[in-house]
Structure formats: structure tokens, C-alpha cells
């Protein structure tokens, strides 16, 4: 299959039902020699007015509602696929934004929760890249959390309850790279939500 020779890029988002008491967000800024950098996680709204249009009424939300068969599959099998989250131009914009996130020396680097880069060559695009916290650094990755398709799916699949974003995770695995992301079940890493009350949402940014 030709897919094996293509770079695989993906974003995983995790959401969960919130605890009853919500801590107040901590304001966090970094002052560099050129500008003050704001932790975008303190901004609880979309930043870009054009990247993702937000529904304003029930009629505009209707196209994002999952059909009953999708909910039944999730209940029975634990997953659902084929949900369209982004348009092609939005995927292209995120891939372009990703190029700037490879740089560990950028002023916002202290905002990463984790930043791992295997280095077989000097070009980061030839490496297995894994990072947590892009939504704190990039306006587009921050605004992706407000994608209507994601929000509606999380709301429905978590039983119609309020939910909280937990963290994002970027993976880039170049074609024919020796790095391994082993088969696993995400719940094995997040066992404190009992009964199970969280989701992992995988979004591909390239052909796989």
C-alpha cells in the first residue's frame, strides 16, 4: 500500500467530564527579548475569527449531530470513526503551522508539557516527533478545540454531560522511520476516571 510510504501526522485530543470544583486558570506569561508570550490555555475562546465558524443556534448545530447508529457503535465497540472535523484548507493550515512547532528553541518552548524528538538526521521532519501542549503555543491548534464537530461528538459520546479538555498530543511519524508507537489502549494510561468518562479523539493531518 502506498500509505506506508507517506508521513503520518496526527493530533490526539483527550476530554473528560470535569470534577465538581474547577480550579481557576493560572495566568502565565513569558517575556522574551522581542515580545511577551501568552499561554494560550488561559484564553477560553477561539482566537481566530475565520478559522472555525461557530454555530449560534440549533439549526446550525444540526449538521454536527451524530446519528443514532454512531452512538450505538460507540456503546457496543468503544469507538466511532469517519467524523469529518475539518475542511481541506484547514488541514493545510494546521500542517503549515506544524512546521513552526518543530523548533525546540522557539521562545514559547517552555510552554510544552512534553517535547520528544528522535534525531537520526538534522532535519526534524525525518524524525519521530511527539509533543504535548501545542494548544498553549499555536493559535490554530488552540482554536481546533472549538471545532463544532469535536464539541458535539464529545458532548454526545460522554452522555450529554459538560466536559473539560484534558490535553493535546502531536505525533509525526515519517515514512520508513524506525520509530515505534506500539499498539495500546488509551484507557490504560488514564485509569483514574472511574467509571470511564473520557475520550481520545484522533485527527489525521495526512494520508495514512
Amino acid at each position: 500500500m502506498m500509505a506506508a510510504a507517506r508521513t503520518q501526522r496526527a493530533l490526539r485530543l483527550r476530554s473528560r467530564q470535569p470534577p465538581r470544583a474547577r480550579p481557576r486558570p493560572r495566568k502565565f506569561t513569558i517575556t522574551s527579548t522581542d515580545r511577551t508570550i501568552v499561554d494560550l490555555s488561559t484564553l477560553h475562546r477561539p482566537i481566530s475569527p475565520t478559522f472555525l465558524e461557530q454555530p449560534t443556534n440549533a439549526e446550525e448545530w444540526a449538521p454536527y449531530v451524530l446519528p443514532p447508529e454512531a452512538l450505538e457503535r460507540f456503546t457496543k465497540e468503544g469507538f466511532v470513526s469517519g467524523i469529518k472535523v475539518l475542511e481541506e484548507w484547514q488541514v493545510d493550515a494546521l500542517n503549515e503551522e506544524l512546521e513552526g512547532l518543530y523548533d525546540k528553541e522557539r521562545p514559547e518552548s517552555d510552554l510544552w508539557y512534553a517535547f520528544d524528538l528522535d534525531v537520526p538526521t538534522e532535519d526534524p521532519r525525518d524524525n519521530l516527533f511527539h509533543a504535548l501542549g501545542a494548544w498553549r503555543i499555536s493559535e490554530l491548534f488552540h482554536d481546533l478545540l472549538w471545532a463544532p464537530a469535536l464539541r458535539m461528538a464529545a458532548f454526545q459520546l460522554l452522555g450529554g454531560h459538560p466536559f473539560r479538555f484534558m490535553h493535546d498530543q502531536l505525533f509525526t511519524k515519517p515514512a520508513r522511520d524506525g520509530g515505534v508507537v506500539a499498539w495500546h489502549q488509551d484507557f490504560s494510561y488514564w485509569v483514574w476516571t472511574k467509571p470511564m468518562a473520557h475520550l481520545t479523539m484522533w485527527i489525521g493531518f495526512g494520508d495514512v
Side-chain angles (χ1 to χ4, degrees):
M1 294 178 60
M2 293 185 64
R6 296 174 178 171
T7 297
Q8 299 181 20
R9 293 178 169 183
L11 173 72
R12 295 201 297 181
L13 306 174
R14 291 190 174 90
S15 302
R16 66 185 176 94
Q17 293 179 14
R20 292 182 179 179
R22 298 186 178 185
R24 296 175 63 86
R26 180 170 63 92
K27 298 294 183 181
F28 185 84
T29 60
I30 298 174
T31 302
S32 70
T33 55
D34 298 319
R35 59 192 174 98
T36 298
I37 299 162
V38 177
D39 180 351
L40 301 183
S41 69
T42 64
L43 302 179
H44 299 180
R45 65 186 185 282
I47 299 170
S48 170
T50 58
F51 183 60
L52 285 165
E53 293 186 8
Q54 299 300 308
T56 59
N57 55 53
E59 183 179 0
E60 293 177 358
W61 275 109
Y64 302 104
V65 175
L66 298 180
E69 54 268 26
L71 302 181
E72 292 172 6
R73 181 179 185 183
F74 182 77
T75 300
K76 181 180 179 180
E77 301 180 3
F79 74 97
V80 63
S81 60
I83 301 173
K84 183 177 181 179
V85 176
L86 299 166
E87 300 295 336
E88 290 285 344
W89 70 269
Q90 293 168 320
V91 174
D92 291 342
L94 287 165
N95 272 318
E96 184 176 349
E97 188 88 345
L98 177 59
E99 290 294 315
L101 297 180
Y102 287 118
D103 183 8
K104 185 63 170 67
E105 303 305 318
R106 59 184 295 153
E108 305 97 331
S109 62
D110 287 343
L111 293 175
W112 289 111
Y113 295 123
F115 188 99
D116 301 308
L117 191 64
D118 293 336
V119 189
T121 75
E122 294 183 359
D123 188 344
R125 294 153 198 79
D126 293 334
N127 308 311
L128 179 63
F129 173 61
H130 165 250
L132 280 70
W135 78 298
R136 304 178 69 190
I137 296 170
S138 158
E139 290 188 6
L140 295 189
F141 280 98
H142 171 277
D143 283 6
L144 182 56
L145 306 182
W146 277 266
L150 287 181
R151 293 165 60 195
M152 178 58 76
F155 176 74
Q156 289 184 266
L157 297 177
L158 288 172
H161 299 291
F163 59 91
R164 172 183 292 178
F165 169 70
M166 190 173 179
H167 74 80
D168 61 353
Q169 187 174 39
L170 278 170
F171 269 113
T172 299
K173 186 180 185 302
R176 302 184 182 89
D177 179 74
V180 174
V181 179
W183 287 103
H184 63 278
Q185 187 179 45
D186 285 346
F187 184 60
S188 63
Y189 297 98
W190 312 108
V191 295
W192 64 79
T193 55
K194 297 179 180 179
M196 197 184 326
H198 70 271
L199 298 169
T200 296
M201 299 181 176
W202 185 93
I203 307 171
F205 290 157
D207 295 329
V208 295

